[in-house]
Amino acid sequence: MKIGYSFWGFLGNGITDTPDGGRSHRRPLIDALLDRGHEIVFLQANRDLLEAGDDLGGAYAFDSGMPDIDVLFLEWRWPIDGRNTTECGATDHTCDLHRQAELIKRYSVARGTPMVIWDKDRQLRPDSLWRRAPRVAVCEAALQPTPGAYQLLFPVADRLLDQADPDVLARQPREITLGYVGNQYVGNRQDRDEHFDRFFAPAASCFEHQVGGKWTDTSRWPHVSFLGRIPFEQAHHLYSGALATVLLLPKRYAEAGQMTQRIFEAVLAGCLPLAPADIRQVERFVPEALVVRSGSHVIHQLNRLRDIAGTQRHVDLIAACLDRLGLFRLSRQVDTLEAVLDTVVGASAGQQGAA
């Protein structure tokens, strides 16, 4: 089918001074859909070209108009004060929300085009009318999605999973004990401060560590080594040099069992992920030996990991983490998405036939 795909981010490395976790998984998902015979046209701005100067050639199609499509697919955007809620042309304005509203109005409302919403940031309200609208499906990247929503996890390429070698990763030199890549998001619902304060900051007092990402309010942690924002591709380098990380999640992610792309970015680099016990279904993400319950527990586990570094036990832990990444396997997620697309398009065709 022909999919009109709306996302606000990048397919390539993009630029450093912007958040876009989708760079780790968006392009593999799109390429897999193309490989399965679907046609995709991107309906937001080509930020790779306009902002990063990255010409992706003729591999992908962008359209600023309203082309004919079979289904509208939205990586859901939400109001962000001072950015997409301002008038077009205003300083720092981004037009992602305006464009999304235009697409919904023209396709879903006016034409009855089937629509799939991928609420990757858990910003769509539980009582949103779109959760009850006909010809609309909502997907969430959570093990326990909102009732009525489909599960669509962030995908990791099969090739990367199949090529990862626990023995090689365990022998790799690790210059630091603890590493983390991610942003703070002060002042909104994505705040990670609680997890950071409870699990990461105590361990940072005891071990060599690095934190990459935008953290603007760090006065509570003068002992933590914040690097600031780092280029997208540098995340792999940081994880490759770290023995372990801590999977820090906003509360709304943890409660739904929604894991970010950080888990496979870390594990594929051989960086062991310590996961707070308050993450729903945490045992599906990491082995029990890597579940932590307090800052002191993180310190204890890091000391233990330092003791076994390079041993068979280290190899086995990496292998166990790689095995759990099967949850996110790209081929599995594409199967899921195709089933959702078939459902929503089939429902639309059935309703039109009945009419």
Side-chain angles (χ1 to χ4, degrees), residues 172-178 207-210 237-243 306:
Q172 191 168 304
R174 304 281 165 177
E175 296 84 7
I176 60 173
T177 300
L178 186 60
F207 301 99
E208 287 292 321
H209 65 277
Q210 291 181 345
H237 176 76
L238 190 153
Y239 285 131
S240 294
L243 178 63
R306 282 158 61 97

Short mmCIF file of all heavy atoms in Angstrom, two decimals, residues 172-178 207-210 237-243 306:
data_model
loop_
_atom_site.label_atom_id
_atom_site.label_comp_id
_atom_site.label_asym_id
_atom_site.label_seq_id
_atom_site.Cartn_x
_atom_site.Cartn_y
_atom_site.Cartn_z
N GLN A 172 36.30 -6.48 24.91
CA GLN A 172 36.57 -5.10 24.50
C GLN A 172 36.98 -4.24 25.69
O GLN A 172 36.37 -4.33 26.75
CB GLN A 172 35.29 -4.53 23.86
CG GLN A 172 35.46 -3.21 23.15
CD GLN A 172 34.22 -2.90 22.33
OE1 GLN A 172 33.81 -3.69 21.48
NE2 GLN A 172 33.61 -1.75 22.59
N PRO A 173 38.03 -3.41 25.56
CA PRO A 173 38.46 -2.56 26.68
C PRO A 173 37.34 -1.59 27.08
O PRO A 173 36.64 -1.04 26.22
CB PRO A 173 39.66 -1.80 26.12
CG PRO A 173 40.13 -2.61 24.95
CD PRO A 173 38.91 -3.26 24.38
N ARG A 174 37.16 -1.39 28.37
CA ARG A 174 36.13 -0.48 28.89
C ARG A 174 36.84 0.56 29.77
O ARG A 174 37.28 0.25 30.88
CB ARG A 174 35.11 -1.26 29.73
CG ARG A 174 34.45 -2.42 28.97
CD ARG A 174 33.37 -1.97 28.04
NE ARG A 174 33.00 -3.02 27.08
CZ ARG A 174 32.04 -2.92 26.20
NH1 ARG A 174 31.34 -1.80 26.12
NH2 ARG A 174 31.79 -3.88 25.34
N GLU A 175 36.96 1.78 29.25
CA GLU A 175 37.71 2.82 29.96
C GLU A 175 36.98 3.36 31.17
O GLU A 175 37.60 3.83 32.13
CB GLU A 175 38.02 3.99 29.01
CG GLU A 175 38.94 3.63 27.83
CD GLU A 175 38.17 3.03 26.66
OE1 GLU A 175 36.92 3.02 26.72
OE2 GLU A 175 38.81 2.56 25.70
N ILE A 176 35.66 3.31 31.14
CA ILE A 176 34.87 3.82 32.27
C ILE A 176 33.91 2.73 32.75
O ILE A 176 33.57 1.81 31.99
CB ILE A 176 34.08 5.10 31.90
CG1 ILE A 176 33.10 4.84 30.76
CG2 ILE A 176 35.03 6.24 31.56
CD1 ILE A 176 32.19 6.00 30.46
N THR A 177 33.50 2.86 33.98
CA THR A 177 32.60 1.86 34.56
C THR A 177 31.15 2.14 34.20
O THR A 177 30.38 1.20 33.93
CB THR A 177 32.75 1.83 36.09
OG1 THR A 177 34.10 1.49 36.42
CG2 THR A 177 31.81 0.82 36.73
N LEU A 178 30.77 3.41 34.16
CA LEU A 178 29.35 3.76 34.02
C LEU A 178 29.17 4.85 32.96
O LEU A 178 29.86 5.87 32.99
CB LEU A 178 28.82 4.26 35.37
CG LEU A 178 27.34 4.57 35.51
CD1 LEU A 178 26.49 3.35 35.21
CD2 LEU A 178 27.05 5.09 36.91
N PHE A 207 32.50 5.81 40.82
CA PHE A 207 33.12 5.21 39.65
C PHE A 207 33.37 6.26 38.56
O PHE A 207 32.67 7.28 38.49
CB PHE A 207 32.21 4.12 39.06
CG PHE A 207 31.88 3.01 40.02
CD1 PHE A 207 30.67 3.00 40.69
CD2 PHE A 207 32.78 1.98 40.23
CE1 PHE A 207 30.35 1.98 41.57
CE2 PHE A 207 32.48 0.96 41.12
CZ PHE A 207 31.26 0.95 41.78
N GLU A 208 34.35 5.98 37.71
CA GLU A 208 34.55 6.78 36.50
C GLU A 208 33.29 6.67 35.64
O GLU A 208 32.77 5.57 35.42
CB GLU A 208 35.77 6.29 35.72
CG GLU A 208 37.09 6.62 36.37
CD GLU A 208 37.37 8.12 36.34
OE1 GLU A 208 37.05 8.77 35.32
OE2 GLU A 208 37.88 8.64 37.35
N HIS A 209 32.83 7.80 35.14
CA HIS A 209 31.56 7.79 34.43
C HIS A 209 31.52 8.94 33.43
O HIS A 209 32.32 9.88 33.51
CB HIS A 209 30.40 7.93 35.42
CG HIS A 209 30.42 9.27 36.11
ND1 HIS A 209 31.19 9.52 37.22
CD2 HIS A 209 29.77 10.44 35.83
CE1 HIS A 209 31.03 10.77 37.60
NE2 HIS A 209 30.16 11.35 36.78
N GLN A 210 30.54 8.90 32.54
CA GLN A 210 30.27 9.98 31.59
C GLN A 210 28.77 10.01 31.30
O GLN A 210 28.13 8.96 31.20
CB GLN A 210 31.03 9.80 30.28
CG GLN A 210 32.54 9.97 30.39
CD GLN A 210 33.23 9.79 29.06
OE1 GLN A 210 32.66 9.28 28.09
NE2 GLN A 210 34.49 10.21 28.99
N HIS A 237 30.07 5.10 20.54
CA HIS A 237 31.44 5.19 21.06
C HIS A 237 31.44 5.24 22.58
O HIS A 237 32.24 4.57 23.23
CB HIS A 237 32.14 6.42 20.48
CG HIS A 237 33.52 6.64 21.03
ND1 HIS A 237 34.60 5.89 20.63
CD2 HIS A 237 33.98 7.52 21.96
CE1 HIS A 237 35.68 6.30 21.29
NE2 HIS A 237 35.32 7.28 22.10
N LEU A 238 30.52 6.03 23.16
CA LEU A 238 30.47 6.13 24.61
C LEU A 238 30.10 4.79 25.23
O LEU A 238 30.76 4.34 26.19
CB LEU A 238 29.46 7.21 25.02
CG LEU A 238 29.45 7.62 26.50
CD1 LEU A 238 28.96 9.06 26.65
CD2 LEU A 238 28.58 6.71 27.36
N TYR A 239 29.08 4.14 24.69
CA TYR A 239 28.67 2.85 25.25
C TYR A 239 29.75 1.78 25.04
O TYR A 239 29.92 0.89 25.88
CB TYR A 239 27.37 2.38 24.61
CG TYR A 239 26.14 3.11 25.11
CD1 TYR A 239 25.21 3.64 24.23
CD2 TYR A 239 25.89 3.24 26.47
CE1 TYR A 239 24.07 4.30 24.68
CE2 TYR A 239 24.76 3.89 26.95
CZ TYR A 239 23.85 4.41 26.04
OH TYR A 239 22.72 5.06 26.50
N SER A 240 30.48 1.88 23.95
CA SER A 240 31.53 0.89 23.68
C SER A 240 32.67 0.97 24.68
O SER A 240 33.41 0.00 24.86
CB SER A 240 32.08 1.08 22.25
OG SER A 240 31.09 0.80 21.29
N GLY A 241 32.81 2.13 25.32
CA GLY A 241 33.87 2.30 26.30
C GLY A 241 33.41 2.20 27.74
O GLY A 241 34.18 2.42 28.67
N ALA A 242 32.12 1.86 27.94
CA ALA A 242 31.56 1.79 29.29
C ALA A 242 31.19 0.34 29.64
O ALA A 242 30.65 -0.39 28.80
CB ALA A 242 30.32 2.67 29.40
N LEU A 243 31.46 -0.04 30.86
CA LEU A 243 31.11 -1.38 31.32
C LEU A 243 29.60 -1.54 31.46
O LEU A 243 29.04 -2.59 31.12
CB LEU A 243 31.79 -1.67 32.66
CG LEU A 243 31.49 -3.01 33.32
CD1 LEU A 243 32.00 -4.17 32.45
CD2 LEU A 243 32.12 -3.07 34.72
N ARG A 306 32.63 -5.28 37.66
CA ARG A 306 34.06 -5.03 37.50
C ARG A 306 34.88 -6.28 37.82
O ARG A 306 35.89 -6.57 37.17
CB ARG A 306 34.50 -3.86 38.39
CG ARG A 306 34.13 -2.49 37.84
CD ARG A 306 34.08 -1.44 38.92
NE ARG A 306 35.36 -1.26 39.60
CZ ARG A 306 36.26 -0.32 39.30
NH1 ARG A 306 36.01 0.54 38.32
NH2 ARG A 306 37.37 -0.21 39.98
#
